[in-house]
Amino acid sequence: MEYNFNSIEKKWQLHWKESGAYKVSNESNKPKFYVLDMFPYPSGAGLHVGHPLGYIASDIYARYKRLKGFNVLHPMGYDAFGLPAEQYAIEHGIHPAVSTDKNIETFRRQLDNIGFCYDWDREVRTSDPKYYRWTQWIFLQLFGSWFNRHTQKAEPITDLIKIFESEGNIHHPFPHSDYQLPGTGNIFSAADWKNFDEATQQQILMEYRLAYCGYGEVNWCEALGTVLANDEVVNGVSERGGHPVVKKKLRQWYLRITEYADRLLEGLQTVDFSEAMKEMQTNWIGKSSGAEIEFKIRGEKTSANEESVRVYTTRPDTIMGVDFMVIAPEHSLVKSITSSEQEKEVTDYIHYVNSRSERERMSEKRITGAFTGAYAVNPFDETRHIPIWISEYVLAGYGTGAIMAVPCGDERDFRFAKHFNIPISNIIGEHFNGEDANPTKDAVLSNSGFLDGMPMREAMDLVNNEIEKRGIGKRKVNYKMRDAAFSRQRYWGEPFPIKWVNGVAYALSKDQLPLELPAMDDIKPGKDGEGPLSNNEEWLNSPLFGGGQGESSTMPGYAGSSWYFLRYMDPHNEQEFAGRQATDYWNQVDLYIGGTEHAVGHLLYSRMWTKALYDLGHIGFDEPFKRLVNQGMIQGSSRFVFRINGTDQFVSHGLISDDGTYQGRILDKIHVDVNIVDGFELDISRFKQWRNGEYAQAEFILEEDKYICGAEVEKMSKSKFNTVNPDDLVVKYGADTFRMYEMFLGPVEMSKPWDTKGIEGVHRFLKKLWRLFYKENTDGSTTAIWNEEVATPADLKILHRAIKKIEEDTERFSFNTGVSGFMILVNELTDAKCHKREVLEKMLTLLAPYAPHIAEELYHVLGNSHSVLDAEFPVFEEKYLVETSKEYPVSINGKMRTTMNISLSAEQKEVEELVLANPVVQKWTEGKLPKKIIYVRNKMVNIVV
RNA sequence: GCCCAGAUGGCGGAAUUGGUAGACGCGCUAGACUCAAAAUCUGGUUUCGGCAACGGAGUGCAGGUUCGAUUCCUGUUCUGGGCACCA
């Protein structure tokens, strides 16, 4: 029989499907293991070779764990709501549901080709009402709860109402400290609460809900007609498409993720994520601790003298080094403190700041500002009057929107002082050289009045205590992270299960879910930045909302993906998002594989949702992912042809001058499909047919009769013509070869450019493996050559060395060296002419996770009637590797000079005698007695002369 | 600018705790089989000197610790990734 991989793979894929080989039960006495891939967004472009990298790795691991006796959950689904489908619908008039279904079909066919062991009965699609019913339900849990800062957990909002009824909000001030009740302050009593009307009460509750609706500045992208999350904006333009993004005030839904900041940080210590990933999340949360301090103001206006300004600083110890103050241009004090003399300058400056787009502000960091004419008084030295400036480098949204500037210790303050010629005082002695600011914490303070001679770290506590004692400030922790915007002015997303009645948002009841997305033919945006649903009067006013109105925005892309790993545990449950029994059994995801691009988006949101569901008692764990592995990106290796501008002549790469021209003529650099280039050499006839003959008239200026293309490593994308379709490789080499080759390319975590060249080597290996079972005769027929002979110690040594290596490599996710292990094994068995069933069968079990199809086929060839999927992973036995003696490297002064066969049981003394008797050693030591003989058992012998 | 990761043959990459650097594969090359090709097999392949045995150098660069360093330490260059006025 020949190695006809195409028919073998088809046969077993069908067989596994029909026999339900991958069906996983929630009831098992085996230990559980949950292996999860980040589910894909089914884009229209289909899969390229980069996508399956992580899927193959997780598939190998899942299969390996199954062989090791675990009940393995390994599901797959689709993140099916999203912008591209909607954009496509607007451009082509095809409903997102239709194009999404079509794309999913393509994805599924491509995935099936590769032979994954997913339990497709558990498939989820976030756009399916049966699924998003529960997304809506979880949203209502968030809407219906608040974060109790004393218990540090989410609790039902009904509990908060009880608290308000009995004591007002004295112990639970508004989460956003700048919130003011209409007309009053921000503290109310139980009596106040009872007197508030319904609308006010609801407005107050909205300030506490974990999912809340408010007005806020959002990142508005006109071109996409949508609001973007902070992490979807890069350098002031949208991550997707690069369109400009501006700040706009809109009514938005938010998740109060900031309340979970501390728990999200603490949780990182309990999970196995890469240090880089933990750091990214830590930086994103951006916790800093310091103090808020109040400075009195002295200004020209009498009103100014009654004001004070509150600053946030992480360095209260430097308070005596404050040379000026800066407040954000948007700060509410600006108006009341500016002196008449400075009025024009300040107004002009504010005007200038407003004229600068977010993008300009970020890209060109100019040192700008204006003096307000007012001064602040240092609370610890009332003789010091500190000028107050405004500048765009102080952000209104962080801390108090005002800072105390200490130029000798802070780089930005230093540059500002230099630029505006503000005198700089030095409080850190020799640590400050007058050239650069020095943010050290290890200096001893000088020039600091009552703090003189005190180390900075001590001064920090002292100042903190002092300001609290005097009531002019308090210790304060701040976070960079903002609440997450949770609505999109878009159609293709989950509708909010909310009804608006007299301006108040109420939850729909559980039995009204799912609130289905109404079918709409025209999904163009509504007026004033409202979503397409705002055009659908009929739906907005439908009886579903009981006389109220529906919500016209929809949930963002990350809503459905924040909890999908829970649905897989119990995908068909109609009563709950997932039964408690199921979530208790499967518990955390043991291994999660996906790209780093979700570091601060999806991974933070899903961690928060998990924590909230845990707090409310719906699940029994508060971190979703126990271990996270980030697969690297497979980059494309692009190819270029060079056309002389304005002609049809193409110049080979080697003929181009260093200045990028050809004989002084300008060249157009054009991406060419990598599939019509062999290495670097262009297939000219295929190039002429390419793109329906667009280049049929091309003429070529060749080097050595070849057209050589330019090359560059870029992101893999259709538009760069550098994508390689896995389907083609599967047809040509088979799924097993493809799987093993993707792993062989290098460590899973590493990014690397795709190169199809080496795939032949892996394919040869599988053919060689096949020849351990079948011999090819000269007439083309094959003969089975595997036999029932008893394995020799030498055979078993080969086998068990491989078991040890492959088991270890698989366990530690080193699949590239794992594949090497197989190659060595097959090479050694071939050399040893070992065709013994006893050995081969174990080898196939080892191989099954990596190359399941060929393993299954040959496993049956050996006469097994059950599937290799249900075999047991071979047990490594040390005894086969035990040696009595070993070739030791012998080095002299650290240099390897010879080898010697030494018994493993030999003692230091015996080894020394043996070594000294060795002629090579005698030659190198020139007969002298060595100073020392170092013998490391199992490793080496070194002689020091 | 700040933080993190990395740098090993012509190429992808091995080397698990400091112990024979370059496993495995690609490519190249010589040979076997063949009329020929493909496929397959065998040998060679870090580099320098040498017919060879053998010897010298060698893991981005400069130092250090050690009998011994790709591995540990200090400095430095480059590459990739993340963050970027967060006080």
Side-chain angles (χ1 to χ4, degrees), chain A residues 264-272 278 607 623:
Chain A
L264 288 169
L265 280 175
E266 284 159 22
L268 284 178
Q269 309 197 342
T270 68
V271 294
D272 182 8
K278 288 185 183 179
R607 290 183 60 216
E623 277 293 338

Side-chain angles (χ1 to χ4, degrees), chain A residues 241-261:
Chain A
H243 304 294
V245 173
V246 294
K247 290 276 178 211
K248 183 171 179 173
K249 259 216 164 19
L250 266 184
R251 191 177 55 75
Q252 284 303 316
W253 286 89
Y254 292 92
L255 295 184
R256 212 176 289 283
I257 192 170
T258 46
E259 293 292 315
Y260 277 97

Side-chain angles (χ1 to χ4, degrees), chain A residues 620-792:
Chain A
F621 47 94
D622 89 329
E623 277 293 338
F625 315 119
K626 199 189 250 175
R627 180 181 179 197
L628 173 71
V629 171
N630 296 114
Q631 95 258 22
M633 262 216 295
I634 292 204
Q635 293 139 319
S637 188
S638 304
R639 294 291 180 269
F640 298 93
V641 291
F642 303 92
R643 182 174 61 193
I644 298 175
N645 187 271
T647 71
D648 265 333
Q649 287 185 302
F650 290 80
V651 182
S652 183
H653 182 250
L655 304 174
I656 298 170
S657 326
D658 291 343
D659 62 359
T661 65
Y662 176 67
Q663 296 173 353
R665 303 178 69 181
I666 296 167
L667 300 171
D668 307 328
K669 188 173 171 187
I670 302 167
H671 272 100
V672 61
D673 190 340
V674 291
N675 297 295
I676 61 169
V677 179
D678 178 20
F680 296 96
E681 188 186 346
L682 182 69
D683 184 331
I684 288 174
S685 63
R686 286 181 68 192
F687 179 66
K688 287 187 173 185
Q689 292 158 23
W690 187 50
R691 309 201 79 189
N692 296 324
E694 187 181 330
Y695 299 107
Q697 304 305 315
E699 292 166 35
F700 299 91
I701 302 171
L702 306 177
E703 52 181 312
E704 291 167 7
D705 293 333
K706 289 174 182 166
Y707 187 93
I708 303 301
C709 296
E712 238 170 71
V713 171
E714 298 179 293
K715 205 172 163 178
M716 205 172 258
S717 105
K718 270 235 142 110
S719 62
K720 298 190 174 91
F721 300 109
N722 60 4
T723 58
V724 180
N725 189 331
D727 300 0
D728 299 341
L729 294 170
V730 168
V731 167
K732 198 162 171 201
Y733 300 103
D736 288 334
T737 299
F738 178 71
R739 290 165 63 102
M740 291 192 95
Y741 182 59
E742 285 239 353
M743 293 299 101
F744 187 61
L745 230 38
V748 183
E749 294 93 332
M750 203 187 278
S751 288
K752 56 236 153 187
W754 177 262
D755 175 19
T756 305
K757 283 252 157 167
I759 198 168
E760 297 276 357
V762 175
H763 192 56
R764 274 202 275 270
F765 148 74
L766 285 175
K767 287 197 282 190
K768 192 165 182 176
L769 180 133
W770 189 265
R771 289 199 301 273
L772 287 171
F773 296 77
Y774 288 102
K775 186 175 85 177
E776 282 166 47
N777 302 317
T778 39
D779 63 358
S781 66
T782 56
T783 317
I785 53 171
W786 56 273
N787 56 51
E788 300 284 354
E789 285 172 28
V790 178
T792 63

Side-chain angles (χ1 to χ4, degrees), chain A residues 271-286:
Chain A
V271 294
D272 182 8
F273 293 7
S274 71
E275 286 308 311
M277 173 62 62
K278 288 185 183 179
E279 206 175 292
M280 266 189 254
Q281 295 207 352
T282 306
N283 288 343
W284 184 261
I285 295 167

Side-chain angles (χ1 to χ4, degrees), chain A residues 355-368:
Chain A
S355 74
R356 297 237 298 164
S357 70
E358 191 75 4
R359 174 151 208 204
E360 286 167 331
R361 200 166 157 169
M362 285 204 192
S363 53
E364 28 166 312
K365 274 171 210 153
R366 288 195 239 159
I367 302 171
T368 62

Side-chain angles (χ1 to χ4, degrees), chain A residues 132-144 206 209 211 253 486-487 493-500 504-517 533 539 544-545 549-556 559 609:
Chain A
Y132 70 67
R133 168 186 189 175
W134 300 110
T135 308
Q136 291 171 333
W137 179 83
I138 296 173
F139 169 81
L140 288 181
Q141 302 310 301
L142 297 172
F143 179 74
M206 194 60 108
R209 295 179 188 275
W253 286 89
F486 193 69
S487 49
E494 300 88 346
F496 282 88
I498 287 289
K499 59 182 173 197
W500 287 96
V504 176
Y506 293 95
L508 295 187
S509 68
K510 187 181 173 187
D511 53 28
Q512 284 182 279
L513 304 182
L515 174 64
E516 291 206 33
L517 186 64
L533 286 176
W539 181 78
L544 289 169
F545 306 116
Q549 278 217 322
E551 164 66 54
S552 69
S553 57
T554 55
M555 298 189 199
W609 284 43

Side-chain angles (χ1 to χ4, degrees), chain A residues 512-551:
Chain A
Q512 284 182 279
L513 304 182
L515 174 64
E516 291 206 33
L517 186 64
M520 283 170 71
D521 293 334
D522 186 3
I523 52 174
K524 295 208 165 52
K527 301 178 287 287
D528 306 323
E530 292 268 315
L533 286 176
S534 69
N535 298 329
N536 193 335
E537 291 286 331
E538 194 190 330
W539 181 78
L540 286 176
N541 295 303
S542 83
L544 289 169
F545 306 116
Q549 278 217 322
E551 164 66 54

